[in-house]
Amino acid sequence: MFDVGKLRKPIGPAVVAPLLLIGLIGASPVSAQQRAETVGNQSPAINAGRDAFVTNNYTNNTGLTPEELRQVKEASAAGGKAGAAGSQADTIIDLSKRLGVTENAVVTLLHVLDQEEVPLERLPQKLSEIADQYKKLQAQLAALNPQNPLARSLAEQAETEIKAGHFDKAHQLLHQVTQAGIAAAQQARELREKAEAAENEQLTQAAVSSSAEGDLSMTELHYLQAADLFKQAANLVPAGNAYDDKRIGYLRKEAGALYQQGDEFGDSGVLRSAIERYKRLLELQPRERAPLAWATAQNDLGSALWSLGVRENGSARLEEAVAAFRAALEERTRERVAVEWASTQNNLGNALAALGVRETGNARLEEAVAAYRDALQVDTRERSPLDWAMTQTNLGISLWTLGVRENSTTRLEEAVAAYRDALEESTRERQPLQWATTEICLGNALVTLGDRESTNARLEEGVAAFRDAFKELTRERRPLQWALTQISLANALATLGERESSVARLEEAIAANRVALEGLTREQAPVLWAGAQVGLGNKLSTLGARDGNTARFAEAVVAYRAALQEQTREQVPLLWAGTEVSLGNALAMLGARDTGTARLDEAVAAYRAALQEQTRDRAPAQWGATQAVLGNVLAALAVRESSTARLEEAVAAYRAALQEQTRDRVPAQWAATEASLGVALATLGDRANDTARLEEAVAAYRAALQERSSDQISGQAAAIQAGLGAALAALGDRESGQAQLDRLDEAIAAYRAALNDANGAAIPIQRDEVLKNIAQLEETLGFAHFHRGDFAAAAQNFRNAGNATPYRVLWLHIASARIGGQDANSNLQDQSAGLNPAEWPVPVIELFLGRRTPPQTMAAARKPDELCEAQFYVGQWHLLRNERAASIDALRKAVKICPKDFNEYTGAVAELKRLGR
């Protein structure tokens, strides 16, 4: 019997075809989404405030990866060094040497990381940071020499406890040192005239110990506690100019602790407190008296302002940050302090970059809004209502344009409010055409808002506003405006049709678009006419995808090609590129319904033409979307042509697309492209027997499934899971041992998930094919478990595989009998009922049922393959009867005559090994 696991069919159209359509339907290029970016190769959190009190510039001195350090941390949390047995105990010793601290201190520092839930990727750097803080603390304690004997004793004990890693005791002792210092100071005050110097010394030492405790809290990442202790230290410093530098130093440490809390934990309120502290430091260290200290405070202030500014709306904090950094640079010159100058230049760059990201070139529109509002202070509703209404309409238009550019609902709501205010004075009776114009503007704003909302109420209001406008805006009175309003109405109806899956709405939208083209001729308004042709093509494509009518796509192709007669590359390169993409989409949909490749080749040509102008630099989002749909069509061509070269091109296109279609920007498109990439890689891996490609395919499928909750991906989840199952199964075929078992289990899980997701799937799967694949994998697992001697697992696998073949019935019986199944014979009898005794391997089944003897069974074997199998099964029969010698003899004969790709051969070898032969 052949090993069915090695005869698996290659990944073919049954799995590939459904996924190739991902991205073809509704694959119009998406708009670019703005995001804040950091200038340079490092994140703002790393670059900001490089020489400020708090810095994140710690390297990984541990010699461990984040995952390795996590394992050591969890082991130490379970029981200290004693809980970290074996190699992990050695790791703690190694960490002690690398970090320059005791082994107990390492355990305590790991405990700090565990309690504070530091992110995995930051574990090595954070451990290095707090270890450095710990060593500074030790040095500070070593220098602490209180005159108070009790305080000195307590300080020495605290130093000992810190070396031992007993931070809780150290806190108590340092606190006692502080209290002892305070107590001594209080006694000294009673003899002020004789002991003023001693009092100041005690307070200074108390401040030092309070600061040391603050450093200990910083080591534990308890930044707010540290800030309080530094503040206490500043308050303990004796009055007088002689102590100003110490007091300011503690205040700077307090500000730094607050900054660290706000920056690391996203606490904006604490960051505001840090900003207040830094501004106070600027007052305490005026530029005239301490120019470099003043510059340092400016730098630190800029860092705090920047950290707060990047998480707030508006640019005020960022503008302040720029001003602070530039002020610092007036004293931090290159000639004077080159390192600090470079640090502040870096911080200034970060603040300027954050501002640049937020500026979208709308200054003129903002000026327009300001001008309108100034005008409205004079043209009030009471004084000149019609002029006020007109200006309100103009204000609304600017607000609407800003709202579209900024994706700001607030702006759009303001625009709607402005239009509605205007309509209270500019009524149909008083100004019919102005009223109609304002209704059109209102409709546009409502439709824009509706596009951003999940409900259709705004869209319905927009449609109503357009239709109201037609009561006065007739084709005869204002033909161009009438035609453009018909297009606006058509677009709103099309959006409603897509949301409602309504063919009637889409047909109504197409009718309005066609009517618009009757009044909008190419000769009168060529640019507008071309835009209307593109809109008509888009609506026809959407309707074709909805009702499955191929003629719709053919009409869309005609409309797009008409538009391209006016939208030339030379005149409007980006518009031309966009229409080429739309043309490519329609051609791809036609090609998917054809049996040939001509339409698909035309689609590829259209996409590649578009990419000549739609470059990543000029239009990154559109470039990414076009690369994705190009990949889909290339993959479809690869299936039809059996072309590996086309698949390689498809993979390259998908990977290019993913450079811009990132998960954080466009999660649904990212997932769809990852799924398509998975299909192409899996097909390549299967054709070329390339394990690396299959591994990449698995990674791509799993990435796509991370967004399965999104509307776009949820309908494709079944197809993605089926593709994942096929890729995992193919990998399992190439592996052995436990790795193979794990892969096949994963493949079965993926196939079962596909069946669970199949109901209501947008892209259907072939359930029978998936069920067949599951049964085949269960059978393969059964053989693998049997050969390993895990007969219970093998029996379960064969049971899961079902009774589709006599071989499964036979192997299920043998596996069950090997684990002492009491009902194995009765089950075999039930499952073999109706089988033809003359057909192989039914004679073997009759052997196990007691109806044949081994010689009779061997006599029934006519072909070489049957003789091989008969020897193996006779050997199993003897084995079940504890007839060891006879079993070994039969199994040896099986090994001698069976082909090596037969399960009976593999099983015989395994049995002989278990029998010591």
Side-chain angles (χ1 to χ4, degrees), residues 1 15 35 51 137 175 212 239 259 314 318 355 464 484 571 603 689 697 721 766 770 774 837 854:
M1 176 183 175
V15 173
R35 61 186 180 94
D51 67 331
L137 171 61
H175 184 71
Y259 167 80
L318 295 172
L355 278 170
L484 293 176
Q571 292 178 326
N689 196 26
Q721 290 281 16
Q766 297 179 10
V770 171
I774 291 173

Side-chain angles (χ1 to χ4, degrees), residues 313-336:
N313 293 324
S315 301
R317 299 283 190 185
L318 295 172
E319 294 285 6
E320 287 184 78
V322 168
F325 290 136
R326 284 183 168 148
L329 287 169
E330 293 176 10
E331 292 295 338
R332 282 187 166 187
T333 62
R334 183 175 181 180
E335 296 74 20
R336 198 171 183 183

Side-chain angles (χ1 to χ4, degrees), residues 637-910:
L637 278 168
V639 172
R640 296 209 178 158
E641 299 172 349
S642 298
S643 168
T644 300
R646 292 283 200 183
L647 279 173
E648 294 286 4
E649 290 180 84
V651 167
Y654 291 137
R655 285 183 167 149
L658 289 168
Q659 295 175 45
E660 288 297 330
Q661 288 185 337
T662 60
R663 186 179 182 186
D664 58 327
R665 292 180 188 168
V666 283
Q669 290 92 323
W670 167 82
T673 303
E674 284 282 6
S676 298
L677 175 61
V679 175
L681 287 166
T683 308
L684 273 173
D686 203 58
R687 287 183 181 177
N689 196 26
D690 188 339
T691 300
R693 292 290 199 182
L694 290 170
E695 293 281 10
E696 291 179 88
V698 167
Y701 284 134
R702 284 179 169 155
L705 289 168
Q706 293 176 43
E707 288 293 331
R708 63 178 297 153
S709 60
S710 71
D711 291 340
Q712 181 172 345
I713 297 304
S714 62
Q716 302 167 4
I720 297 171
Q721 290 281 16
L724 174 60
L728 288 165
L731 279 170
D733 286 346
R734 290 159 173 77
E735 294 169 333
S736 60
Q738 187 61 46
Q740 180 189 42
L741 298 180
D742 292 342
R743 288 288 195 186
L744 297 180
D745 278 332
E746 289 179 87
I748 290 170
Y751 278 133
R752 292 195 188 282
L755 293 174
N756 291 335
D757 291 331
N759 292 333
I763 299 180
I765 62 171
Q766 297 179 10
R767 293 183 63 92
D768 292 343
E769 190 68 24
V770 171
L771 288 169
K772 182 179 177 182
N773 289 341
I774 291 173
Q776 186 172 309
L777 289 171
E778 290 281 7
E779 183 178 81
T780 303
L781 274 171
F783 291 137
H785 281 124
F786 190 98
H787 300 333
R788 289 163 64 92
D790 189 349
F791 303 114
Q796 187 59 53
N797 289 132
F798 289 124
R799 194 174 293 111
N800 292 343
N803 303 326
T805 69
Y807 284 102
R808 288 180 187 168
V809 172
L810 184 57
W811 280 87
L812 172 58
H813 169 74
I814 296 172
S816 299
R818 292 296 292 273
I819 58 175
Q822 298 298 317
D823 53 355
N825 283 340
S826 61
N827 287 339
L828 180 61
Q829 186 167 345
D830 292 340
Q831 292 164 359
S832 62
L835 295 177
N836 185 354
E839 292 181 0
W840 191 262
V842 179
V844 176
I845 294 174
E846 291 185 329
L847 169 67
F848 286 95
L849 288 173
R851 298 172 185 169
R852 285 180 187 259
T853 64
Q856 290 172 336
T857 304
M858 295 301 303
R862 306 293 185 188
K863 301 175 183 177
D865 290 352
E866 293 173 358
L867 286 170
C868 146
E869 293 174 2
Q871 289 290 1
F872 171 79
Y873 294 125
V874 166
Q876 287 293 326
W877 183 82
H878 283 301
L879 197 58
L880 289 172
R881 296 164 65 87
N882 294 320
E883 296 170 351
R884 178 185 174 90
S887 174
I888 291 172
D889 181 66
L891 292 170
R892 281 175 171 168
K893 290 176 181 177
V895 170
K896 186 175 181 180
I897 65 173
C898 283
K900 292 186 178 181
D901 60 351
F902 272 41
N903 278 304
E904 289 77 8
Y905 170 84
T906 309
V909 170

Side-chain angles (χ1 to χ4, degrees), residues 261-532:
Q261 172 73 18
D263 185 62
E264 289 192 19
F265 294 97
D267 193 331
S268 297
V270 174
L271 268 178
R272 293 187 185 96
S273 297
I275 289 168
E276 292 173 6
R277 302 302 193 278
Y278 285 129
K279 288 180 177 178
R280 174 62 178 154
L281 286 168
L282 287 171
E283 296 172 1
L284 294 172
Q285 296 173 304
R287 183 176 181 180
E288 300 76 20
R289 193 181 75 191
L292 286 179
W294 173 86
T296 297
Q298 287 283 11
N299 180 78
D300 294 349
L301 172 62
S303 295
L305 286 164
W306 171 84
S307 184
L308 185 59
V310 294
R311 69 185 65 164
E312 290 183 338
N313 293 324
S315 301
R317 299 283 190 185
L318 295 172
E319 294 285 6
E320 287 184 78
V322 168
F325 290 136
R326 284 183 168 148
L329 287 169
E330 293 176 10
E331 292 295 338
R332 282 187 166 187
T333 62
R334 183 175 181 180
E335 296 74 20
R336 198 171 183 183
V337 281
V339 173
E340 289 80 358
W341 171 84
S343 172
T344 304
Q345 287 283 9
N346 175 73
N347 296 338
L348 174 62
N350 287 336
L352 290 169
L355 278 170
V357 166
R358 298 186 177 196
E359 293 173 355
T360 57
N362 289 335
R364 296 289 189 185
L365 282 170
E366 293 289 3
E367 290 179 84
V369 168
Y372 289 137
R373 285 181 170 153
D374 285 345
L376 288 170
Q377 295 178 31
V378 175
D379 286 337
T380 63
R381 184 173 183 179
E382 295 73 22
R383 182 178 297 174
S384 52
L386 294 181
D387 288 341
W388 173 85
M390 181 184 65
T391 307
Q392 285 283 8
T393 300
N394 293 339
L395 173 61
I397 292 169
S398 292
L399 290 167
W400 173 71
T401 306
L402 277 169
V404 171
R405 289 192 182 180
E406 298 170 354
N407 196 26
S408 168
T409 300
T410 301
R411 293 283 197 185
L412 294 170
E413 293 284 8
E414 288 183 87
V416 168
Y419 293 140
R420 284 184 166 146
D421 283 345
L423 288 168
E424 291 180 8
E425 293 295 338
S426 182
T427 63
R428 182 180 179 186
E429 293 73 24
R430 296 172 75 179
Q431 290 183 303
L433 287 179
Q434 181 62 38
W435 168 84
T437 298
T438 305
E439 284 284 359
I440 294 165
C441 293
L442 174 62
N444 285 329
L446 288 166
V447 168
T448 306
L449 277 169
D451 285 339
R452 289 160 168 75
E453 296 172 348
S454 58
T455 62
N456 293 338
R458 300 279 200 177
L459 291 169
E460 295 285 7
E461 286 185 86
V463 168
F466 294 139
R467 285 179 168 152
D468 277 346
F470 286 131
K471 295 174 182 177
E472 293 294 337
L473 188 68
T474 63
R475 182 175 179 179
E476 293 72 28
R477 295 174 75 177
R478 296 282 181 89
L480 183 59
Q481 193 175 6
W482 172 86
L484 293 176
T485 305
Q486 288 285 1
I487 292 172
S488 295
L489 173 62
N491 292 339
L493 289 167
T495 302
L496 282 168
E498 288 185 71
R499 288 191 179 181
E500 298 170 353
S501 298
S502 170
V503 171
R505 289 277 204 184
L506 289 169
E507 288 176 339
E508 196 177 356
I510 290 170
N513 212 126
R514 292 192 195 278
V515 166
L517 282 166
E518 293 175 7
L520 197 65
T521 64
R522 182 179 177 185
E523 295 71 28
Q524 292 173 326
V527 174
L528 295 174
W529 172 84

